Amino acid sequence: MALIIIVAVLALLADLAANRFLRPKLLSEDDDTGMAVKDLVGPLLTLTVLLLAFVLVTANGSYGKAEVASRGEAKAVDQLVEAAEYAPAAQRAEIQADAVCYARAVRTQEWPAMADGNGSAAPGVWSTDFRRVFRGVEGKPVFGMLVAADNKRSEEREERLTQATASIPGAIL
């Protein structure tokens, strides 16, 4: 996002410089000489502004969706920890410890990997461990709450990872 803003500012400065130094030369020409450079500059500037607006809107929308998904994932992990309070003591401790390890793996390994548009396998280890522990409470009332919270966590993580990939084609960027 910072790169896009820097490029936009540089394009604006280049446009201002061109307007200051080239425009007087373009306006001094005779209009009878045919098509001049000034006849191409207007549509080109309009196209540039529309393309830049498209890029900014797309990047902002993707960022907003990723932010909502990351908040939803955090809430789902919190709900998982709270639902674990109703599980037997052994499973409760494992689920809560796995949730802490999952959050740390997302923070320290997956977020840096997302800068390159990738995910990390580390949180998946803890997701698998959640499901292993859930087998121990299968058939108990808490099982449904735990599975629902884990499904929500999984969906939000998937959305967050989807939004981490570039939404603007490289040619346009």
Side-chain angles (χ1 to χ4, degrees), residues 91-152:
Q91 285 87 2
R92 176 185 330 131
E94 280 190 75
I95 292 169
Q96 291 174 341
D98 287 347
V100 169
C101 292
Y102 174 83
R104 286 179 180 162
V106 168
R107 169 63 184 97
T108 60
Q109 294 179 2
E110 193 157 57
W111 279 95
M114 285 173 47
D116 299 327
N118 302 319
S120 172
V125 171
W126 303 109
S127 298
T128 303
D129 204 47
F130 283 141
R131 292 180 191 98
R132 181 191 59 77
V133 176
F134 292 170
R135 284 189 211 114
V137 293
E138 195 169 2
K140 296 183 178 164
V142 71
F143 180 73
M145 292 189 317
L146 291 171
V147 169
D150 189 52
N151 286 341
K152 180 69 172 166

Side-chain angles (χ1 to χ4, degrees), residues 49-65:
V49 167
L50 287 174
L51 189 60
L52 180 61
F54 168 74
V55 167
L56 289 175
V57 166
T58 302
N60 187 43
S62 179
Y63 175 79
K65 289 177 185 175

Side-chain angles (χ1 to χ4, degrees), residues 81-94:
V81 169
E82 289 176 1
E85 288 292 326
Y86 298 103
Q91 285 87 2
R92 176 185 330 131
E94 280 190 75

Side-chain angles (χ1 to χ4, degrees), residues 44 83 104 136 148 160 166-167:
L44 188 59
R104 286 179 180 162
R160 177 176 51 81
S167 58

